[in-house]
Amino acid sequence: MTPDTDFTPWPEVLARTYREAGYWQGETFPAWLAGLAGRYGDRAALRAGDLTVTYRDLHARAGRQAAHFAAHGLRAGDRVVVQLPSVPEFFDVLFGLMHLGARPILALPAHRAGEIAFFCAHADAAAYVTVDRHAGFDHRGLAREVRAAAPALRQVFVLGDAQEFTPLTPPAGLPPVPATPGEAGGVALYQLSGGSTGTPKLIPRTHDDYLYSVRASAELCGLGGDTVYLAALPLAHNFSLTSPGTLGVLHAGGRVVLAPQPTPDVTFPLVRHEGVTLTALVPALLQVWLHVARRDASALASLTRVQVGGAPLSPDVARAVPDVLGAEVQQVFGMAEGLVTYVRPGTAPALACTTQGHPISPHDEVRVVDDEDRDVPDGQPGHLLTRGPYTIRGYFRAPDHNARAFTPDGYYRTGDIVTRLPGGALRVTGRHKDQINRGGEKIAAEEVEHALLRHPQVAAAALVGLPDPWLGERSCACVQLHPDPAGPPARAVARDLAAHLRRLGLAAFKVPDRFLILPDLPRTAVGKVDKPALRRCAQAAPDLIPAAPRS
Ligand code: OOB
């Protein structure tokens, strides 16, 4: 029998433990949503502009969206790449696909043709769901490229002006279909990994494990019917979706307010108008909020807590939050693969500002180890390994990578360096994986390096992160060119390389912020590019070339 590389299950003995502990409740998302509609009925679930969607509507809209998808040939088990901005239809599509037993693959609005075509082809996606235009970008043009590159794609659904594609919006009067009965232990959706390898990885999350993380997060964050949550970050991201995010707020019967943009000019008036009590930000965005709120924070009176995660938060910035925003700061450390830690509400500021808290579950197993996988004592930094009731056991169709990314006994190698303090709180102190965290957006160095190497002039390439006061890190591509005495000047080469990456369809955030053209790249004794040396070199270089403006 060939091993199933689509989904790696938990060992039965652990699965039983998680069920007996009440974590895995055997409930699917469609059943959960039907339950919410029954419990909270006509209460407002979503607010977007002037639109209010009640809990009952949310459920009915999912049923209608499912009927529309079914009418266009989608079936249970189909994988569907979803790329939508912060619009209510995101939830119609998410819940509508699950209603049908189909499986959304949650792409980010920033992804471009290269990434979307890869997800579609790698997952044999039956459909791609997108929007006509967003943030000045024509997604239908992207859809045309994707269709040419992924022949298995049967349908493209477009929100808004669909042109030659299928309109996403169901025709008026289309009756909802009943939900397809599904397995709670089966895959509900796929998250995407920030990754550190040449291609992004798909993360299969089951109904059981994902709903557990939602319920437990909502509970430990004390959410309730009076919670008004501003969704400022991309809706698809695990932080804003489930930690506790929009799904956690819906679980608690609260109200989700969609922000079309995360910046203070848009969000501050929304906080005032909607009486927002809670939001989640990445540190880079928090700094922008603080900067504006130092001049005028009067719109933020209703805000009681701001969650911050996705990237390291400086203790000084954390300490400023209560004074400047008039709200408690709560650090969240997590990953789309599973494990999420929260500083528990009410923790003393000294600890709350300098640690990333405790895991959600008493059954989250955390190990902090040295390079040989030996446990290190509390108080000392080491590699964070974890397994538990909502941490995956394997990526989708990635057997070779899985063999490296997981220990033989199923711990996920997070690639983060942490210290466990006496008492169990974790402090993230560094990163081992070859990834750049650009303001919470993750860039796998290898993916960009491979793309650079496809340029005919590039002999060797290495992407490194450089410290940045706003984003935490920016990326710098260090490039060695094939010798060409008559070649163009470095500045022109850099411009051409940035254009090359865009042509390959890489998301704009992955296009290097800076370029450094070198005669050769420093190597270690075994011939690998010496990235620490390159980082030092790039930091000292007076002549880093900025990439052309992003789009
Ligand atoms: C969240 O998920 P991902 O999958 O985009 O990124 C995970 C990685 C972590 O492995 C870590 O390297 C970094 O992002 N990270 C943090 C952090 N939170 C995430 N590094 C330092 N401090 C933090 N607080 O980013 C994510 C998923 C769920 C909840 C929160 C964040």
Side-chain angles (χ1 to χ4, degrees), residues 237-239 243 309-312 332-336 356 416 433 437 442:
H237 194 263
N238 205 45
F239 184 18
S243 306
V332 185
F333 161 66
M335 53 209 69
Q356 285 65 53
D416 292 308
K433 56 192 164 193
N437 192 334
K442 315 300 184 322

Side-chain angles (χ1 to χ4, degrees), residues 119-155:
F119 304 144
C120 289
H122 179 59
D124 297 317
Y128 167 47
V129 175
T130 189
V131 62
D132 50 5
R133 295 184 68 80
H134 173 62
F137 181 79
D138 182 7
H139 284 261
R140 291 159 304 196
L142 189 158
R144 281 175 206 119
E145 283 181 60
V146 167
R147 206 155 54 174
L153 206 63
R154 300 199 300 268
Q155 279 288 348

Side-chain angles (χ1 to χ4, degrees), residues 169-192:
T169 309
L174 187 70
V177 286
T180 307
E183 277 287 319
V187 175
L189 54 74
Y190 298 86
Q191 273 288 353
L192 297 174

